């Protein structure tokens, strides 16, 4: 049953078109994930569905009495409110069962300080309080903007299970790809002002999007081929006398006016190697406590060159503290840290540092480097910004006009252009859109150096790290080989319960031999014309011209014999047969010319 309709909405901010006449219907049982590059309007669309923002044109029609609950990225709280009182605020009457659920949800989200004033808590704790309130409040439509930010892996897994069994509609923006895979049954993609809908989870979306783009480009290739043929026809000196030729000229103009599919702009990041000596990073018997709470207890480790380490654990266990010790920002209580002379660190903090909001984007980068070394040679700060999706107009805008995700992207750029050979990344995936994440993963795979990552993004950890250190209580870190999936397996947890993709395992000799034989049987052969196709390709232009002339002559004969019914019927039949043959020849012309291009480009 349809409960909410988005009808022909449009939205413009300044010169930027956010939505261009988009429509969509939301039904009972929908669990929708919204995907798009930062700045494409994901949060704006959530606000419009929630009713907190209006479109410039169009309307959103909601079913009468529809209850909507909206978790914003930056929730606000009343002064002096406590954790429990704020969450219970939306519960009608003395529903003790619901109040019990509220305490249970808060506990699941790591919040047991029920009577603590919210103003005393961290930003991450505040976001989890707002999430708890959204979950416990009765609603028909639950709208979640980045619900997994500030959740550790255990919390995210619990939230997945909770939302999978949620009876109402869920509409969310998240960059957690495993989360999207498990929870959603529909994906909406926002790109270039348009909205594309997919009846699938994230994995299915990737396949369907690839199919959609291939179909669009196939249509574009056919348009270009037909356009070339029509231009050649026009150059042969057509006479626009007949209705048929006038229609063909109109088709030529329509083909000229057609547009190629819009290509999504993605960040292009280039890794430049900075020399690293034998000595890297050595931690010897490191310990750190805050008050009576021991975060790290007697931790020793020597980081190997080009190693990829992931650090996981519950919120507040000491992950960020360990990174700050490695980066030299925090001193350990006991033990020592030794850093090799050639080590050059790039430290990406969890919170974006304060930026001068009045400074221009390009000046922020130029303060670090006017030119950036890449594998292609030196490129300017402006060119590097363009690779990070900052258009020329954006480069000369003030930093204060950037979105949170755009500021984070700019901060990431400022670290990478300093050419580090050690990257220390603390929750880098928060507020980074999925397209940028995939490009970042490509960059990190080619990065010549050490990477140390703290992240709750299980998909990111599986792709990026080859060893995990897990905080397991009382300051103890335990080492696990592989990515996040291998970590779960080593702990004896059932991987399938998370619906994560299967881990690639080493192939046996028999499998390798069979794969090699299969490849030999099915290896791609070089494209070429058959003898018949080559002959057809050589003569098809003349064939088309002859058919066009034949149709013109038949039309002239029909005009002369308009009063002779029998003769006219005979000529009409001949003309229809010629037109059908011409259509067939035109389709063959497109196919043969496409094949000729592919052969030439081999």
């Amino acid at each position: 049953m349809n409960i909410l309709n988005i009808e022909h909405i449009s939205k413009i901010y300044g010169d930027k078109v956010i939505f261009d006449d988009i429509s969509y219907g939301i039904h009972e049982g929908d669990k929708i994930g919204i995907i798009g590059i930062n700045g494409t309007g994901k949060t704006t669309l959530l606000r419009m569905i929630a009713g907190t923002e209006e479109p410039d044109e169009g309307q959103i029609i909601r079913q009468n009495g529809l209850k909507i609950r909206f978790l914003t990225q930056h929730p606000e709280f009343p002064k002096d409110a406590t954790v429990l009182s704020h969450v219970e605020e939306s519960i009608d009457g003395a529903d003790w069962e619901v109040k019990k659920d509220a305490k249970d949800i808060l506990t699941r989200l790591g919040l047991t300080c029920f009577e603590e004033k919210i103003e005393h808590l961290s930003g991450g704790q505040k976001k989890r309080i707002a999430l708890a309130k959204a979950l416990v409040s009765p609603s028909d439509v639950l709208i979640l903007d980045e619900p997994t930010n500030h959740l550790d892996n255990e919390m995210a897994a619990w939230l997945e299970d909770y939302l999978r069994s949620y009876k109402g509609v869920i509409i969310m923006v998240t960059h957690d790809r495993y989360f999207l895979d498990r929870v959603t049954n529909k994906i909406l993609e926002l790109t270039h002002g348009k909205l594309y809908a997919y009846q699938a989870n994230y994995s299915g979306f990737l396949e369907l999007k690839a199919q959609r783009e291939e179909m669009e480009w196939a249509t574009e290739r056919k348009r270009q081929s037909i356009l070339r043929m029509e231009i050649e026809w026009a150059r042969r000196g057509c006479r626009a006398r007949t209705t048929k030729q006038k229609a063909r000229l109109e088709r030529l103009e329509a083909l000229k006016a057609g547009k190629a599919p819009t290509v999504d702009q993605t960040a292009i990041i280039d890794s430049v190697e900075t020399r690293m000596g034998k000595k890297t990073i050595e931690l010897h018997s490191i310990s750190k406590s805050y008050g009576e709470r021991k975060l790290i207890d007697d931790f020793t480790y020597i980081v190997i060159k080009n190693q990829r380490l992931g650090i996981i654990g519950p919120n507040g266990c000491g992950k960020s503290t360990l990174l700050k010790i490695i980066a030299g920002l925090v001193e350990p209580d006991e033990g020592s840290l030794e850093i090799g002379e050639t080590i050059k660190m790039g430290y990406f903090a969890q919170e974006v540092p304060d930026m001068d909001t009045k400074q221009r984007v390009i000046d922020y980068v130029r303060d670090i480097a006017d030119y950036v070394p890449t594998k292609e040679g030196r490129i300017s700060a402006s060119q590097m910004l363009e690779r990070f999706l900052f258009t020329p107009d954006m480069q000369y805008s003030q930093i204060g006009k950037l979105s949170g995700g755009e500021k984070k992207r700019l901060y990431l750029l400022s670290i990478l252009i300093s050419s580090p050979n050690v990257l220390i990344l603390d929750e880098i995936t928060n507020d980074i859109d999925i397209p940028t994440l995939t490009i970042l993963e490509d960059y990190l795979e080619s990065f010549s150096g050490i990477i140390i990552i703290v992240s709750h993004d299980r998909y990111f950890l599986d792709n990026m790290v080859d060893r995990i250190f897990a905080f397991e209580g009382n300051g103890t870190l335990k080492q696990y080989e592989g990515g996040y999936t291998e970590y779960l397996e080593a702990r004896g947890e059932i991987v399938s319960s998370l619906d994560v993709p299967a881990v690639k395992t080493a192939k046996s000799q028999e499998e390798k031999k069979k794969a090699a034989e299969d490849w030999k049987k099915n290896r791609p052969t070089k494209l070429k014309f058959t003898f018949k196709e080559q002959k057809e390709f050589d003569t098809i232009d003349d064939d088309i011209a002859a058919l066009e002339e034949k149709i013109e002559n038949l039309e002239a004969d029909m005009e002369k014999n308009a009063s002779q019914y029998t003769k006219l019927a005979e000529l009409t039949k001949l003309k229809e047969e010629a037109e059908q043959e011409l259509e067939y020849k035109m389709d063959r012309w497109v196919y043969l010319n496409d094949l000729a291009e592919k052969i030439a480009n081999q």
Side-chain angles (χ1 to χ4, degrees):
M1 181 180 174
N2 193 295
I3 63 170
L4 191 147
N5 279 327
I6 300 166
E7 297 187 350
H8 303 288
I9 67 170
S10 298
K11 186 73 175 180
I12 297 175
Y13 285 127
D15 296 329
K16 186 174 183 181
V17 176
I18 304 298
F19 307 134
D20 181 15
D21 190 26
I22 66 172
S23 299
Y24 188 71
I26 295 171
H27 301 78
E28 288 182 350
D30 282 353
K31 290 182 168 58
I32 299 169
I34 300 176
I35 287 175
I37 294 171
N38 286 336
T40 53
K42 301 186 297 293
T43 295
T44 301
L45 182 59
L46 294 188
R47 289 184 191 135
M48 288 182 179
I49 294 171
T52 61
E53 186 169 341
E54 293 296 323
D56 296 336
E57 295 179 14
Q59 60 182 340
I60 295 179
I61 301 173
R62 303 168 187 83
Q63 187 182 74
N64 288 335
L66 195 69
K67 292 182 180 178
I68 297 176
R69 179 62 61 180
F70 182 23
L71 171 69
T72 64
Q73 271 196 58
H74 306 288
E76 296 180 357
F77 302 90
K79 190 177 180 181
D80 295 329
T82 64
V83 172
L84 189 59
S85 69
H86 181 68
V87 173
E88 290 182 342
E89 186 179 63
S90 59
I91 301 173
D92 296 329
D95 191 332
W96 297 109
E97 190 65 32
V98 178
K99 289 186 177 183
K100 180 179 176 296
D101 289 344
K103 288 185 177 181
D104 181 54
I105 289 172
L106 284 168
T107 302
R108 291 279 193 172
L109 295 175
L111 297 160
T112 55
C113 48
F114 300 144
E115 301 308 320
E116 184 72 53
K117 285 189 177 182
I118 294 174
E119 59 198 66
H120 297 157
L121 302 179
S122 68
Q125 289 171 316
K126 289 177 181 177
K127 181 69 181 278
R128 280 180 273 142
I129 292 167
L131 174 60
K133 183 177 181 180
L135 296 179
V136 81
S137 305
S139 63
D140 303 305
V141 179
L142 180 60
I143 302 174
L144 305 172
D145 198 353
E146 295 294 353
T148 59
N149 281 2
H150 308 292
L151 300 187
D152 60 34
N153 295 323
E154 188 177 337
M155 293 174 191
W158 169 82
L159 182 60
E160 284 172 357
D161 290 332
Y162 186 93
L163 294 180
R164 287 182 76 177
S165 61
Y166 190 80
K167 292 180 180 178
V169 168
I170 297 170
I171 306 170
M172 64 179 169
V173 170
T174 180
H175 303 139
D176 187 326
R177 290 159 286 182
Y178 278 165
F179 197 84
L180 284 169
D181 243 1
R182 280 203 83 210
V183 176
T184 63
N185 55 28
K186 292 181 181 179
I187 297 289
L188 299 183
E189 180 191 17
L190 287 169
T191 177
H192 305 290
K194 299 298 183 184
L195 183 144
Y196 298 93
Y198 305 85
Q199 301 273 345
N201 62 3
Y202 180 72
S203 296
F205 151 75
L206 293 176
E207 295 178 14
L208 293 174
K209 179 180 179 180
Q211 290 174 17
R212 172 180 70 79
E213 290 178 341
E214 177 53 36
M215 287 175 65
E216 286 178 350
W217 281 109
T219 301
E220 172 59 13
R221 287 193 296 271
K222 185 171 183 179
R223 182 182 78 87
Q224 291 291 344
S225 295
I226 295 174
L227 179 60
R228 289 197 301 273
M229 183 178 68
E230 294 292 326
I231 289 171
E232 287 178 18
W233 169 80
R235 285 172 179 167
R236 287 200 295 264
C238 68
R239 297 184 300 276
R241 296 179 306 174
T242 65
T243 302
K244 177 76 177 176
Q245 290 183 330
K246 286 178 181 176
R248 189 161 178 183
L249 285 170
E250 287 171 1
R251 180 168 73 170
L252 175 58
E253 292 304 314
L255 286 166
K256 287 180 180 178
K259 292 182 179 179
T262 306
V263 179
D264 285 338
Q265 191 183 16
T266 53
I268 305 170
I269 312 173
D270 194 4
S271 171
V272 180
E273 185 171 353
T274 301
R275 191 184 72 84
M276 183 184 295
K278 290 183 179 180
K279 188 169 184 177
T280 58
I281 300 168
E282 300 182 5
L283 297 96
H284 300 287
S285 301
I286 296 292
S287 294
K288 183 67 180 179
S289 300
Y290 284 109
E292 296 182 358
R293 189 179 178 197
K294 177 149 286 210
L295 297 180
I296 303 166
D297 185 20
D298 194 25
F299 178 60
T300 296
Y301 189 73
I302 297 173
V303 183
I304 303 168
K305 285 179 70 172
N306 300 327
Q307 193 164 43
R308 276 94 167 105
L309 299 177
I311 300 171
I312 64 173
N315 288 329
C317 66
K319 302 185 297 295
S320 294
T321 301
L322 178 57
L323 290 192
K324 288 175 182 176
I325 289 173
I326 295 171
L329 302 175
V330 170
E331 290 290 327
D333 297 337
E334 298 175 18
S336 63
L337 172 73
E338 295 181 25
I339 305 292
E341 290 182 2
T342 59
I343 293 298
K344 186 176 181 182
M345 291 193 191
Y347 172 62
F348 184 93
Q350 192 171 149
E351 298 296 331
V352 176
D354 290 337
M355 297 176 174
D356 182 355
T357 56
K358 293 182 180 180
Q359 186 179 28
R360 296 185 307 178
V361 170
I362 193 164
D363 293 332
Y364 177 81
V365 175
R366 282 175 176 164
D367 284 348
I368 303 164
D370 284 323
Y371 289 90
V372 182
T374 73
K375 290 178 180 177
E376 305 162 10
R378 294 202 320 162
I379 66 171
S380 68
S382 178
Q383 289 172 313
M384 197 65 179
L385 279 164
E386 282 198 52
R387 293 186 175 199
F388 266 65
L389 315 183
F390 291 100
T391 62
D393 288 342
M394 292 175 70
Q395 291 177 27
Y396 287 89
S397 295
Q398 294 180 344
I399 290 174
K401 293 182 179 179
L402 300 180
S403 69
E406 288 166 339
K407 287 178 182 174
K408 201 154 192 177
R409 198 190 312 145
L410 181 61
Y411 174 41
L412 173 61
L413 171 59
S414 72
I415 292 164
L416 297 183
I417 64 175
S418 64
S419 302
N421 53 21
V422 175
L423 282 174
I424 300 175
L425 309 174
D426 195 355
E427 292 295 359
I428 193 170
T429 58
N430 284 354
D431 300 320
I432 296 287
D433 56 72
I434 289 174
T436 304
L437 270 179
T438 57
I439 301 298
L440 175 61
E441 287 169 353
D442 289 341
Y443 168 81
L444 293 178
E445 283 179 2
S446 67
F447 179 74
S448 298
I450 293 166
I451 302 172
I452 305 173
I453 299 169
V454 164
S455 180
H456 295 134
D457 188 327
R458 296 153 293 171
Y459 197 104
F460 187 71
L461 288 170
D462 263 347
N463 283 347
M464 288 297 101
V465 306
D466 50 38
R467 180 170 292 174
I468 280 180
F469 281 99
F471 277 83
E472 300 198 338
N474 300 319
T476 302
L477 284 97
K478 188 172 179 181
Q479 179 177 311
Y480 297 87
E481 295 305 309
Y484 186 77
T485 301
E486 289 92 344
Y487 157 76
L488 288 178
E489 289 177 334
R491 286 171 57 97
E493 298 183 25
I494 302 172
V495 178
S496 60
S497 70
L498 286 173
D499 293 342
V500 297
V503 182
K504 293 180 182 178
T505 55
K507 291 181 179 178
S508 66
Q509 289 300 317
E510 287 185 9
E511 287 174 321
K512 288 179 181 177
K513 185 178 178 182
K514 186 176 184 302
E517 289 172 355
D518 288 344
W519 184 86
K520 286 178 183 177
K521 288 178 184 176
N522 301 299
R523 67 182 181 274
T525 55
K526 194 170 184 180
L527 286 173
K528 63 179 181 179
F529 279 131
T530 64
F531 176 78
K532 186 177 178 181
E533 285 173 336
Q534 183 65 59
K535 188 176 179 181
E536 185 183 8
F537 180 65
D538 292 339
T539 60
I540 196 163
D541 285 324
D542 292 336
D543 292 344
I544 288 172
L547 284 166
E548 288 169 346
E549 187 176 352
K550 181 179 179 180
I551 291 167
E552 283 185 31
N553 292 335
L554 287 167
E555 287 174 342
D557 287 346
M558 288 169 68
E559 287 180 15
K560 292 177 185 177
N561 296 280
S563 60
Q564 299 181 38
Y565 177 79
T566 304
K567 183 67 173 175
L568 185 63
E570 181 185 338
L571 291 170
T572 301
K573 184 179 178 183
L574 289 172
K575 178 174 172 279
E576 287 174 353
E577 289 172 353
E579 286 176 340
Q580 287 177 2
E581 189 177 356
L582 177 60
E583 289 297 324
Y584 169 76
K585 288 287 185 182
M586 288 170 66
D587 285 341
R588 291 295 296 168
W589 189 94
V590 171
Y591 165 76
L592 292 168
N593 275 271
D594 277 350
L595 182 56
E597 284 185 14
K598 289 175 183 176
I599 291 169
N601 293 327
Q602 285 185 127

